[in-house]
Amino acid sequence: MSTVTTPPPPTAPAPTAFEPFRTLLRTQRADCARQRELALAETATSVPDPVAVSRAAALSRRIEEIDAALDRITASTYGNCVHCGTGIPRSASSS
């Protein structure tokens, strides 16, 4: 008599130690996106406000930085220096 074993159902990936950072980054990204939309709306006049233009550009750069950090979390490289790959002490990465 042979026994048929069914493989266990796939499980969700285990949360990483950086999951709290991922949650925080997603919240910050959503906030930056809202602020950028408001700044862009201020630039939609016939005479754009230079401060609003600068703010929208700065928020766009911040969103790109957040997206890069989220990508590093996904790639399991978050917490390493982006230039040399050396691990950053946890106390430095949480500030």
Side-chain angles (χ1 to χ4, degrees), residues 35-80:
Q35 290 180 36
R36 184 186 64 188
E37 292 305 315
L38 291 172
L40 288 173
E42 290 177 26
T43 67
T45 62
S46 59
V47 182
D49 178 6
V51 173
V53 171
S54 176
R55 181 166 162 71
L59 287 163
S60 290
R61 285 189 302 274
R62 180 71 176 144
I63 290 170
E64 289 171 4
E65 292 169 355
I66 291 170
D67 287 342
L70 288 167
D71 289 344
R72 288 192 303 276
I73 289 173
T74 300
S76 299
T77 58
Y78 187 84
N80 296 335

mmCIF file of all heavy atoms in Angstrom, residues 35-80:
data_model
loop_
_atom_site.group_PDB
_atom_site.id
_atom_site.type_symbol
_atom_site.label_atom_id
_atom_site.label_comp_id
_atom_site.label_asym_id
_atom_site.label_seq_id
_atom_site.Cartn_x
_atom_site.Cartn_y
_atom_site.Cartn_z
ATOM 1 N N GLN A 35 0.883 65.342 -0.415
ATOM 2 C CA GLN A 35 1.451 66.689 -0.367
ATOM 3 C C GLN A 35 1.923 67.143 -1.751
ATOM 4 O O GLN A 35 1.774 68.308 -2.116
ATOM 5 C CB GLN A 35 2.609 66.739 0.622
ATOM 6 C CG GLN A 35 2.175 66.619 2.064
ATOM 7 C CD GLN A 35 3.362 66.683 3.008
ATOM 8 O OE1 GLN A 35 4.313 67.413 2.771
ATOM 9 N NE2 GLN A 35 3.315 65.904 4.077
ATOM 10 N N ARG A 36 2.513 66.209 -2.517
ATOM 11 C CA ARG A 36 2.970 66.557 -3.860
ATOM 12 C C ARG A 36 1.790 66.948 -4.743
ATOM 13 O O ARG A 36 1.861 67.903 -5.516
ATOM 14 C CB ARG A 36 3.731 65.393 -4.488
ATOM 15 C CG ARG A 36 4.300 65.754 -5.864
ATOM 16 C CD ARG A 36 4.910 64.584 -6.547
ATOM 17 N NE ARG A 36 3.861 63.600 -6.799
ATOM 18 C CZ ARG A 36 4.065 62.388 -7.248
ATOM 19 N NH1 ARG A 36 5.278 61.964 -7.490
ATOM 20 N NH2 ARG A 36 3.068 61.566 -7.459
ATOM 21 N N GLU A 37 0.683 66.210 -4.648
ATOM 22 C CA GLU A 37 -0.502 66.540 -5.438
ATOM 23 C C GLU A 37 -1.017 67.936 -5.094
ATOM 24 O O GLU A 37 -1.410 68.696 -5.982
ATOM 25 C CB GLU A 37 -1.600 65.490 -5.239
ATOM 26 C CG GLU A 37 -1.268 64.131 -5.829
ATOM 27 C CD GLU A 37 -0.919 64.192 -7.305
ATOM 28 O OE1 GLU A 37 -1.634 64.870 -8.076
ATOM 29 O OE2 GLU A 37 0.079 63.573 -7.700
ATOM 30 N N LEU A 38 -0.996 68.291 -3.814
ATOM 31 C CA LEU A 38 -1.427 69.636 -3.416
ATOM 32 C C LEU A 38 -0.483 70.692 -3.987
ATOM 33 O O LEU A 38 -0.924 71.732 -4.484
ATOM 34 C CB LEU A 38 -1.481 69.747 -1.887
ATOM 35 C CG LEU A 38 -2.575 68.946 -1.193
ATOM 36 C CD1 LEU A 38 -2.386 68.993 0.324
ATOM 37 C CD2 LEU A 38 -3.946 69.479 -1.586
ATOM 38 N N ALA A 39 0.823 70.423 -3.912
ATOM 39 C CA ALA A 39 1.801 71.373 -4.448
ATOM 40 C C ALA A 39 1.641 71.506 -5.959
ATOM 41 O O ALA A 39 1.727 72.616 -6.498
ATOM 42 C CB ALA A 39 3.221 70.937 -4.079
ATOM 43 N N LEU A 40 1.408 70.391 -6.648
ATOM 44 C CA LEU A 40 1.210 70.450 -8.097
ATOM 45 C C LEU A 40 -0.045 71.232 -8.449
ATOM 46 O O LEU A 40 -0.079 71.962 -9.441
ATOM 47 C CB LEU A 40 1.150 69.041 -8.690
ATOM 48 C CG LEU A 40 2.482 68.290 -8.735
ATOM 49 C CD1 LEU A 40 2.267 66.853 -9.169
ATOM 50 C CD2 LEU A 40 3.472 68.998 -9.651
ATOM 51 N N ALA A 41 -1.080 71.096 -7.634
ATOM 52 C CA ALA A 41 -2.309 71.854 -7.878
ATOM 53 C C ALA A 41 -2.043 73.354 -7.758
ATOM 54 O O ALA A 41 -2.614 74.155 -8.507
ATOM 55 C CB ALA A 41 -3.396 71.421 -6.899
ATOM 56 N N GLU A 42 -1.142 73.730 -6.844
ATOM 57 C CA GLU A 42 -0.798 75.144 -6.681
ATOM 58 C C GLU A 42 -0.008 75.666 -7.877
ATOM 59 O O GLU A 42 0.004 76.865 -8.133
ATOM 60 C CB GLU A 42 0.006 75.352 -5.403
ATOM 61 C CG GLU A 42 -0.794 75.155 -4.136
ATOM 62 C CD GLU A 42 0.058 75.300 -2.889
ATOM 63 O OE1 GLU A 42 1.091 75.999 -2.936
ATOM 64 O OE2 GLU A 42 -0.312 74.713 -1.856
ATOM 65 N N THR A 43 0.669 74.781 -8.597
ATOM 66 C CA THR A 43 1.465 75.213 -9.746
ATOM 67 C C THR A 43 0.631 75.299 -11.018
ATOM 68 O O THR A 43 1.134 75.726 -12.044
ATOM 69 C CB THR A 43 2.654 74.260 -10.000
ATOM 70 O OG1 THR A 43 2.157 72.985 -10.413
ATOM 71 C CG2 THR A 43 3.526 74.118 -8.782
ATOM 72 N N ALA A 44 -0.624 74.891 -10.961
ATOM 73 C CA ALA A 44 -1.471 74.833 -12.154
ATOM 74 C C ALA A 44 -2.099 76.180 -12.498
ATOM 75 O O ALA A 44 -3.040 76.239 -13.271
ATOM 76 C CB ALA A 44 -2.547 73.776 -11.966
ATOM 77 N N THR A 45 -1.582 77.235 -11.938
ATOM 78 C CA THR A 45 -2.108 78.560 -12.244
ATOM 79 C C THR A 45 -1.337 79.150 -13.423
ATOM 80 O O THR A 45 -0.318 78.612 -13.844
ATOM 81 C CB THR A 45 -1.981 79.487 -11.020
ATOM 82 O OG1 THR A 45 -0.601 79.639 -10.704
ATOM 83 C CG2 THR A 45 -2.742 78.929 -9.831
ATOM 84 N N SER A 46 -1.822 80.265 -13.925
ATOM 85 C CA SER A 46 -1.132 80.886 -15.056
ATOM 86 C C SER A 46 0.246 81.413 -14.650
ATOM 87 O O SER A 46 1.145 81.506 -15.474
ATOM 88 C CB SER A 46 -1.975 82.019 -15.638
ATOM 89 O OG SER A 46 -2.228 82.997 -14.656
ATOM 90 N N VAL A 47 0.403 81.737 -13.382
ATOM 91 C CA VAL A 47 1.702 82.166 -12.862
ATOM 92 C C VAL A 47 2.056 81.209 -11.720
ATOM 93 O O VAL A 47 1.693 81.428 -10.574
ATOM 94 C CB VAL A 47 1.653 83.622 -12.344
ATOM 95 C CG1 VAL A 47 3.017 84.057 -11.850
ATOM 96 C CG2 VAL A 47 1.132 84.557 -13.413
ATOM 97 N N PRO A 48 2.761 80.107 -12.048
ATOM 98 C CA PRO A 48 3.064 79.106 -11.024
ATOM 99 C C PRO A 48 3.885 79.680 -9.867
ATOM 100 O O PRO A 48 4.768 80.514 -10.073
ATOM 101 C CB PRO A 48 3.867 78.053 -11.774
ATOM 102 C CG PRO A 48 3.587 78.284 -13.219
ATOM 103 C CD PRO A 48 3.271 79.737 -13.357
ATOM 104 N N ASP A 49 3.549 79.252 -8.694
ATOM 105 C CA ASP A 49 4.263 79.650 -7.486
ATOM 106 C C ASP A 49 5.598 78.907 -7.446
ATOM 107 O O ASP A 49 5.612 77.675 -7.398
ATOM 108 C CB ASP A 49 3.405 79.304 -6.267
ATOM 109 C CG ASP A 49 4.070 79.632 -4.949
ATOM 110 O OD1 ASP A 49 5.162 80.235 -4.958
ATOM 111 O OD2 ASP A 49 3.490 79.296 -3.910
ATOM 112 N N PRO A 50 6.734 79.611 -7.473
ATOM 113 C CA PRO A 50 8.029 78.931 -7.489
ATOM 114 C C PRO A 50 8.266 78.069 -6.250
ATOM 115 O O PRO A 50 8.938 77.047 -6.324
ATOM 116 C CB PRO A 50 9.050 80.059 -7.596
ATOM 117 C CG PRO A 50 8.326 81.322 -7.363
ATOM 118 C CD PRO A 50 6.865 81.057 -7.536
ATOM 119 N N VAL A 51 7.697 78.480 -5.135
ATOM 120 C CA VAL A 51 7.858 77.682 -3.919
ATOM 121 C C VAL A 51 7.116 76.351 -4.075
ATOM 122 O O VAL A 51 7.630 75.292 -3.702
ATOM 123 C CB VAL A 51 7.355 78.455 -2.671
ATOM 124 C CG1 VAL A 51 7.356 77.571 -1.446
ATOM 125 C CG2 VAL A 51 8.192 79.713 -2.457
ATOM 126 N N ALA A 52 5.912 76.386 -4.645
ATOM 127 C CA ALA A 52 5.136 75.165 -4.859
ATOM 128 C C ALA A 52 5.840 74.249 -5.861
ATOM 129 O O ALA A 52 5.857 73.027 -5.686
ATOM 130 C CB ALA A 52 3.725 75.496 -5.328
ATOM 131 N N VAL A 53 6.437 74.838 -6.901
ATOM 132 C CA VAL A 53 7.167 74.040 -7.890
ATOM 133 C C VAL A 53 8.342 73.334 -7.224
ATOM 134 O O VAL A 53 8.566 72.135 -7.422
ATOM 135 C CB VAL A 53 7.645 74.933 -9.068
ATOM 136 C CG1 VAL A 53 8.580 74.167 -9.983
ATOM 137 C CG2 VAL A 53 6.449 75.475 -9.839
ATOM 138 N N SER A 54 9.090 74.078 -6.420
ATOM 139 C CA SER A 54 10.239 73.505 -5.718
ATOM 140 C C SER A 54 9.795 72.424 -4.739
ATOM 141 O O SER A 54 10.423 71.365 -4.624
ATOM 142 C CB SER A 54 10.986 74.617 -4.970
ATOM 143 O OG SER A 54 12.038 74.093 -4.220
ATOM 144 N N ARG A 55 8.708 72.675 -4.038
ATOM 145 C CA ARG A 55 8.183 71.691 -3.069
ATOM 146 C C ARG A 55 7.739 70.416 -3.777
ATOM 147 O O ARG A 55 8.018 69.315 -3.322
ATOM 148 C CB ARG A 55 7.020 72.309 -2.305
ATOM 149 C CG ARG A 55 6.416 71.425 -1.264
ATOM 150 C CD ARG A 55 5.515 72.258 -0.350
ATOM 151 N NE ARG A 55 4.590 71.471 0.400
ATOM 152 C CZ ARG A 55 4.911 70.667 1.399
ATOM 153 N NH1 ARG A 55 6.152 70.548 1.756
ATOM 154 N NH2 ARG A 55 3.989 69.979 2.038
ATOM 155 N N ALA A 56 7.061 70.550 -4.902
ATOM 156 C CA ALA A 56 6.616 69.370 -5.658
ATOM 157 C C ALA A 56 7.819 68.557 -6.124
ATOM 158 O O ALA A 56 7.809 67.324 -6.049
ATOM 159 C CB ALA A 56 5.760 69.785 -6.846
ATOM 160 N N ALA A 57 8.873 69.235 -6.567
ATOM 161 C CA ALA A 57 10.078 68.529 -7.016
ATOM 162 C C ALA A 57 10.756 67.813 -5.847
ATOM 163 O O ALA A 57 11.187 66.664 -5.982
ATOM 164 C CB ALA A 57 11.045 69.506 -7.675
ATOM 165 N N ALA A 58 10.834 68.477 -4.698
ATOM 166 C CA ALA A 58 11.451 67.857 -3.523
ATOM 167 C C ALA A 58 10.645 66.640 -3.069
ATOM 168 O O ALA A 58 11.223 65.609 -2.695
ATOM 169 C CB ALA A 58 11.567 68.879 -2.391
ATOM 170 N N LEU A 59 9.331 66.743 -3.108
ATOM 171 C CA LEU A 59 8.490 65.613 -2.711
ATOM 172 C C LEU A 59 8.632 64.455 -3.698
ATOM 173 O O LEU A 59 8.625 63.292 -3.294
ATOM 174 C CB LEU A 59 7.032 66.051 -2.584
ATOM 175 C CG LEU A 59 6.743 66.921 -1.351
ATOM 176 C CD1 LEU A 59 5.413 67.642 -1.503
ATOM 177 C CD2 LEU A 59 6.774 66.083 -0.079
ATOM 178 N N SER A 60 8.786 64.751 -4.972
ATOM 179 C CA SER A 60 9.002 63.694 -5.970
ATOM 180 C C SER A 60 10.308 62.956 -5.691
ATOM 181 O O SER A 60 10.365 61.724 -5.763
ATOM 182 C CB SER A 60 9.031 64.276 -7.382
ATOM 183 O OG SER A 60 7.748 64.717 -7.745
ATOM 184 N N ARG A 61 11.365 63.713 -5.346
ATOM 185 C CA ARG A 61 12.646 63.070 -5.001
ATOM 186 C C ARG A 61 12.494 62.207 -3.749
ATOM 187 O O ARG A 61 13.026 61.103 -3.675
ATOM 188 C CB ARG A 61 13.733 64.126 -4.796
ATOM 189 C CG ARG A 61 14.243 64.725 -6.092
ATOM 190 C CD ARG A 61 15.470 65.599 -5.877
ATOM 191 N NE ARG A 61 15.237 66.703 -4.953
ATOM 192 C CZ ARG A 61 14.730 67.893 -5.294
ATOM 193 N NH1 ARG A 61 14.375 68.121 -6.549
ATOM 194 N NH2 ARG A 61 14.566 68.831 -4.393
ATOM 195 N N ARG A 62 11.747 62.692 -2.769
ATOM 196 C CA ARG A 62 11.532 61.933 -1.534
ATOM 197 C C ARG A 62 10.786 60.631 -1.828
ATOM 198 O O ARG A 62 11.124 59.578 -1.290
ATOM 199 C CB ARG A 62 10.762 62.789 -0.529
ATOM 200 C CG ARG A 62 10.484 62.111 0.766
ATOM 201 C CD ARG A 62 11.745 61.954 1.569
ATOM 202 N NE ARG A 62 11.400 61.371 2.863
ATOM 203 C CZ ARG A 62 12.161 60.517 3.503
ATOM 204 N NH1 ARG A 62 13.327 60.187 3.027
ATOM 205 N NH2 ARG A 62 11.775 60.014 4.638
ATOM 206 N N ILE A 63 9.792 60.688 -2.694
ATOM 207 C CA ILE A 63 9.047 59.481 -3.072
ATOM 208 C C ILE A 63 9.973 58.484 -3.754
ATOM 209 O O ILE A 63 9.911 57.282 -3.490
ATOM 210 C CB ILE A 63 7.833 59.842 -3.953
ATOM 211 C CG1 ILE A 63 6.770 60.562 -3.102
ATOM 212 C CG2 ILE A 63 7.238 58.606 -4.618
ATOM 213 C CD1 ILE A 63 5.650 61.184 -3.895
ATOM 214 N N GLU A 64 10.866 58.970 -4.618
ATOM 215 C CA GLU A 64 11.841 58.083 -5.269
ATOM 216 C C GLU A 64 12.753 57.419 -4.231
ATOM 217 O O GLU A 64 13.062 56.228 -4.339
ATOM 218 C CB GLU A 64 12.685 58.865 -6.277
ATOM 219 C CG GLU A 64 11.917 59.286 -7.507
ATOM 220 C CD GLU A 64 12.700 60.240 -8.392
ATOM 221 O OE1 GLU A 64 13.886 60.528 -8.105
ATOM 222 O OE2 GLU A 64 12.124 60.701 -9.392
ATOM 223 N N GLU A 65 13.175 58.171 -3.213
ATOM 224 C CA GLU A 65 14.024 57.610 -2.156
ATOM 225 C C GLU A 65 13.263 56.538 -1.363
ATOM 226 O O GLU A 65 13.821 55.495 -1.024
ATOM 227 C CB GLU A 65 14.493 58.714 -1.211
ATOM 228 C CG GLU A 65 15.461 59.688 -1.838
ATOM 229 C CD GLU A 65 15.704 60.921 -0.977
ATOM 230 O OE1 GLU A 65 15.052 61.072 0.078
ATOM 231 O OE2 GLU A 65 16.559 61.736 -1.369
ATOM 232 N N ILE A 66 12.006 56.812 -1.079
ATOM 233 C CA ILE A 66 11.190 55.837 -0.344
ATOM 234 C C ILE A 66 10.995 54.577 -1.177
ATOM 235 O O ILE A 66 11.114 53.461 -0.669
ATOM 236 C CB ILE A 66 9.837 56.468 0.071
ATOM 237 C CG1 ILE A 66 10.064 57.535 1.145
ATOM 238 C CG2 ILE A 66 8.864 55.390 0.562
ATOM 239 C CD1 ILE A 66 8.838 58.383 1.446
ATOM 240 N N ASP A 67 10.705 54.751 -2.477
ATOM 241 C CA ASP A 67 10.544 53.589 -3.352
ATOM 242 C C ASP A 67 11.827 52.752 -3.396
ATOM 243 O O ASP A 67 11.768 51.521 -3.379
ATOM 244 C CB ASP A 67 10.147 54.020 -4.763
ATOM 245 C CG ASP A 67 8.705 54.501 -4.852
ATOM 246 O OD1 ASP A 67 7.903 54.201 -3.941
ATOM 247 O OD2 ASP A 67 8.380 55.191 -5.847
ATOM 248 N N ALA A 68 12.977 53.419 -3.429
ATOM 249 C CA ALA A 68 14.254 52.701 -3.438
ATOM 250 C C ALA A 68 14.443 51.926 -2.133
ATOM 251 O O ALA A 68 14.903 50.779 -2.146
ATOM 252 C CB ALA A 68 15.409 53.667 -3.662
ATOM 253 N N ALA A 69 14.060 52.525 -1.019
ATOM 254 C CA ALA A 69 14.168 51.829 0.278
ATOM 255 C C ALA A 69 13.232 50.624 0.317
ATOM 256 O O ALA A 69 13.619 49.550 0.796
ATOM 257 C CB ALA A 69 13.859 52.798 1.416
ATOM 258 N N LEU A 70 12.012 50.785 -0.199
ATOM 259 C CA LEU A 70 11.077 49.648 -0.244
ATOM 260 C C LEU A 70 11.622 48.532 -1.135
ATOM 261 O O LEU A 70 11.495 47.349 -0.795
ATOM 262 C CB LEU A 70 9.701 50.114 -0.735
ATOM 263 C CG LEU A 70 8.907 50.969 0.255
ATOM 264 C CD1 LEU A 70 7.722 51.629 -0.430
ATOM 265 C CD2 LEU A 70 8.454 50.139 1.447
ATOM 266 N N ASP A 71 12.249 48.910 -2.242
ATOM 267 C CA ASP A 71 12.866 47.902 -3.114
ATOM 268 C C ASP A 71 13.995 47.169 -2.389
ATOM 269 O O ASP A 71 14.160 45.961 -2.544
ATOM 270 C CB ASP A 71 13.406 48.541 -4.398
ATOM 271 C CG ASP A 71 12.307 49.004 -5.341
ATOM 272 O OD1 ASP A 71 11.143 48.569 -5.170
ATOM 273 O OD2 ASP A 71 12.619 49.809 -6.245
ATOM 274 N N ARG A 72 14.777 47.907 -1.583
ATOM 275 C CA ARG A 72 15.863 47.261 -0.836
ATOM 276 C C ARG A 72 15.318 46.303 0.223
ATOM 277 O O ARG A 72 15.902 45.251 0.468
ATOM 278 C CB ARG A 72 16.778 48.316 -0.199
ATOM 279 C CG ARG A 72 17.649 49.038 -1.222
ATOM 280 C CD ARG A 72 18.747 49.866 -0.578
ATOM 281 N NE ARG A 72 18.275 50.866 0.370
ATOM 282 C CZ ARG A 72 17.837 52.078 0.049
ATOM 283 N NH1 ARG A 72 17.794 52.457 -1.217
ATOM 284 N NH2 ARG A 72 17.446 52.918 0.991
ATOM 285 N N ILE A 73 14.192 46.651 0.830
ATOM 286 C CA ILE A 73 13.579 45.728 1.801
ATOM 287 C C ILE A 73 13.180 44.454 1.080
ATOM 288 O O ILE A 73 13.460 43.348 1.545
ATOM 289 C CB ILE A 73 12.375 46.375 2.511
ATOM 290 C CG1 ILE A 73 12.859 47.464 3.481
ATOM 291 C CG2 ILE A 73 11.559 45.313 3.269
ATOM 292 C CD1 ILE A 73 11.740 48.273 4.116
ATOM 293 N N THR A 74 12.538 44.589 -0.076
ATOM 294 C CA THR A 74 12.111 43.425 -0.859
ATOM 295 C C THR A 74 13.313 42.575 -1.275
ATOM 296 O O THR A 74 13.243 41.346 -1.250
ATOM 297 C CB THR A 74 11.325 43.880 -2.100
ATOM 298 O OG1 THR A 74 10.177 44.618 -1.655
ATOM 299 C CG2 THR A 74 10.883 42.702 -2.939
ATOM 300 N N ALA A 75 14.410 43.223 -1.624
ATOM 301 C CA ALA A 75 15.618 42.507 -2.064
ATOM 302 C C ALA A 75 16.483 42.033 -0.904
ATOM 303 O O ALA A 75 17.553 41.456 -1.117
ATOM 304 C CB ALA A 75 16.442 43.413 -2.973
ATOM 305 N N SER A 76 16.031 42.267 0.313
ATOM 306 C CA SER A 76 16.779 41.890 1.531
ATOM 307 C C SER A 76 18.134 42.584 1.617
ATOM 308 O O SER A 76 19.087 42.036 2.166
ATOM 309 C CB SER A 76 16.949 40.378 1.621
ATOM 310 O OG SER A 76 15.699 39.746 1.690
ATOM 311 N N THR A 77 18.224 43.785 1.081
ATOM 312 C CA THR A 77 19.468 44.549 1.192
ATOM 313 C C THR A 77 19.267 45.815 2.019
ATOM 314 O O THR A 77 20.207 46.590 2.184
ATOM 315 C CB THR A 77 20.023 44.936 -0.192
ATOM 316 O OG1 THR A 77 19.047 45.704 -0.888
ATOM 317 C CG2 THR A 77 20.391 43.693 -0.995
ATOM 318 N N TYR A 78 18.065 46.017 2.538
ATOM 319 C CA TYR A 78 17.811 47.168 3.394
ATOM 320 C C TYR A 78 18.626 47.003 4.658
ATOM 321 O O TYR A 78 18.712 45.926 5.228
ATOM 322 C CB TYR A 78 16.315 47.262 3.733
ATOM 323 C CG TYR A 78 15.933 48.516 4.474
ATOM 324 C CD1 TYR A 78 15.677 49.688 3.781
ATOM 325 C CD2 TYR A 78 15.817 48.533 5.851
ATOM 326 C CE1 TYR A 78 15.308 50.850 4.442
ATOM 327 C CE2 TYR A 78 15.453 49.691 6.531
ATOM 328 C CZ TYR A 78 15.207 50.846 5.819
ATOM 329 O OH TYR A 78 14.855 51.990 6.479
ATOM 330 N N GLY A 79 19.256 48.064 5.087
ATOM 331 C CA GLY A 79 20.111 47.986 6.271
ATOM 332 C C GLY A 79 21.576 47.866 5.896
ATOM 333 O O GLY A 79 22.445 47.806 6.762
ATOM 334 N N ASN A 80 21.845 47.815 4.582
ATOM 335 C CA ASN A 80 23.222 47.794 4.086
ATOM 336 C C ASN A 80 23.489 49.112 3.374
ATOM 337 O O ASN A 80 22.603 49.673 2.733
ATOM 338 C CB ASN A 80 23.449 46.645 3.104
ATOM 339 C CG ASN A 80 23.277 45.297 3.754
ATOM 340 O OD1 ASN A 80 23.431 45.150 4.954
ATOM 341 N ND2 ASN A 80 22.944 44.307 2.966
#
